[in-house]
Amino acid sequence: MKAVVLKETGGPDKLTYEEVPVPEPGQGEVVIRLKNAALNRRDVFITYGLYPGMNLPSVLGADGAGVVSAIGEGVTDWHKDDEVVINPGLSWGDNPAHNGPDFHILGMPTDGTYAEYVKVPAEQVYRKPEYLSWEEAAALPLAALTAYRAVVTRGQVKEGETVFIPGIGSGVAMFALQIAKAHGAEVYVSSGSYEKLAQARELGAAGGVNYKTEGYVKQLKKEMAGADLCIDGVGGESFNDLISLAKPAGRIVNFGATTGPVPELMLPKLFFKHLDFRGTTMGSPEDFSSMLAFFTENDIRPVVDRVFGLEEAVEAQKHMEEGRQFGKIVLDIPGD
């Protein structure tokens, strides 16, 4: 089968498109013939070695959807040609409140979805929502799960609340906007692109500001009058802006730090405003199941920015690095 393999670090150019053996299912496993895969920022970080637990060579890719092609011993819930989507969060553990020590994500160190076939434990497979295309289904898993847990499980969003999401355009931020809107919240966003702000409004954002403009925090606070809930994957220097933007007794949920660590946390504002700061990573199997049900019930469709061929994985990752995408970047897997 064809697959995209990372054998050494140094950026997306180190990815190779090559022939590798088709995986065989073991006890309790299934092999999926993938129709589409999707990119996450994590994939790019891995190519630079900026990810814990590096173990190469590895086939990258956490997100994917396809059909069951082979079934291992002991698997009774799935049949050949069943249409499925994969939960990439492996070995979450028994506690839904947090992952256990063996938790890891598909696509390094475990071979992932930048391939024609992928082998996964049968419990990681869920029925593909019928209303979604293959491209849309592949775009869901990691980002939609992360957003759902951040907004719903950890963020406890409520109807009528004001939600602020910085860095709109990324997969998780886009899903967070859609999930919060479906819960009846009023959502505001920020971006360094006026085009992305306009696109976010088309998706239902109540407003937004360009964070590159002087005094954007004051402008945003005037526009939305403070946030009950902030969903952050940016981190860095702008994290303190969230503390300023949050209403008293508001919640800040962080799932990432694409701009690095927070250099100087404003603790007095944090405790004087009685703020809750909550961390979150990916989501439990229960979160994944609830996310699929919620998306289906509310007819939420992923925003797909652009589709590349599997052999164009290097170009796809570079497109993600440029940061101009609005929504998910998808890979089209070659057919039989």
Side-chain angles (χ1 to χ4, degrees):
M1 70 171 184
K2 292 295 185 182
V4 176
V5 184
L6 181 69
K7 297 178 180 177
E8 59 179 321
T9 59
D13 284 323
K14 296 298 183 180
L15 293 169
T16 60
Y17 183 64
E18 58 187 70
E19 194 77 25
V20 301
V22 175
E24 296 287 337
Q27 178 78 25
E29 296 178 327
V30 293
V31 172
I32 308 302
R33 174 63 172 94
L34 291 159
K35 298 285 189 178
N36 288 93
L39 275 66
N40 292 284
R41 182 70 59 176
R42 168 184 189 267
D43 303 343
V44 178
F45 289 159
I46 288 172
T47 67
Y48 287 101
L50 302 175
Y51 202 83
M54 292 292 297
N55 184 19
L56 302 180
S58 185
V59 177
L60 300 192
D63 290 343
V67 298
V68 176
S69 68
I71 301 168
E73 290 186 18
V75 177
T76 58
D77 293 338
W78 297 105
H79 303 89
K80 193 173 181 181
D81 295 329
D82 281 347
E83 297 185 349
V84 298
V85 61
I86 301 165
N87 175 4
L90 307 176
S91 302
W92 175 270
D94 298 328
N95 193 336
H98 62 83
N99 61 271
D102 296 327
F103 176 73
H104 60 289
I105 300 172
L106 189 67
M108 202 294 298
T110 303
D111 283 343
T113 58
Y114 285 17
E116 292 183 85
Y117 295 85
V118 65
K119 178 177 69 173
V120 294
E123 65 265 21
Q124 299 301 126
V125 173
Y126 294 71
R127 199 162 300 281
K128 170 187 167 290
E130 293 183 4
Y131 76 101
L132 295 178
S133 69
W134 285 112
E135 293 173 359
E136 291 169 331
L140 271 184
L142 189 150
L145 173 61
T146 300
Y148 185 85
R149 184 175 177 85
V151 176
V152 180
T153 308
R154 300 289 285 149
Q156 300 176 324
V157 67
K158 300 175 184 65
E159 184 178 358
E161 287 192 319
T162 299
V163 177
F164 173 56
I165 305 170
I168 198 66
S170 74
V172 179
M174 295 294 300
F175 285 127
L177 165 60
Q178 292 173 296
I179 292 167
K181 277 292 299 177
H183 274 88
E186 190 171 60
V187 183
Y188 292 81
V189 300
S190 70
S191 173
S193 162
Y194 287 109
E195 181 181 0
K196 289 184 181 181
L197 291 174
Q199 290 172 306
R201 287 189 180 93
E202 291 177 5
L203 279 176
V209 297
N210 190 319
Y211 62 75
K212 294 180 180 178
T213 59
E214 187 175 351
Y216 92 91
V217 174
K218 185 179 293 186
Q219 177 188 345
L220 184 57
K221 198 164 187 177
K222 182 179 180 181
E223 187 175 336
M224 71 176 184
D228 299 288
L229 174 63
C230 297
I231 304 296
D232 177 53
V234 179
E237 293 183 2
S238 65
F239 183 82
N240 283 318
D241 295 337
L242 304 182
I243 298 175
S244 297
L245 290 165
K247 291 179 181 178
R251 290 106 61 207
I252 300 173
V253 178
N254 175 268
F255 63 85
T258 56
T259 61
V262 180
E264 192 172 333
L265 186 64
M266 295 192 303
L267 277 177
K269 282 193 175 183
L270 192 67
F271 60 73
F272 277 130
K273 294 180 75 173
H274 301 268
L275 301 180
D276 283 349
F277 171 54
R278 305 172 186 179
T280 185
T281 298
M282 292 284 288
S284 67
E286 292 87 351
D287 288 322
F288 195 87
S289 179
S290 296
M291 177 272 291
L292 287 180
F294 182 79
F295 273 53
T296 301
E297 180 182 348
N298 291 278
D299 195 30
I300 298 176
R301 293 180 176 273
V303 176
V304 176
D305 171 78
R306 186 171 168 187
V307 180
F308 292 82
L310 179 62
E311 72 281 3
E312 300 175 301
V314 171
E315 289 78 7
Q317 284 209 0
K318 288 181 176 179
H319 179 63
M320 173 168 275
E321 270 196 298
E322 291 168 357
R324 294 201 298 266
Q325 80 274 11
F326 188 79
K328 292 290 291 185
I329 301 169
V330 175
L331 297 176
D332 192 35
I333 311 297
D336 292 322

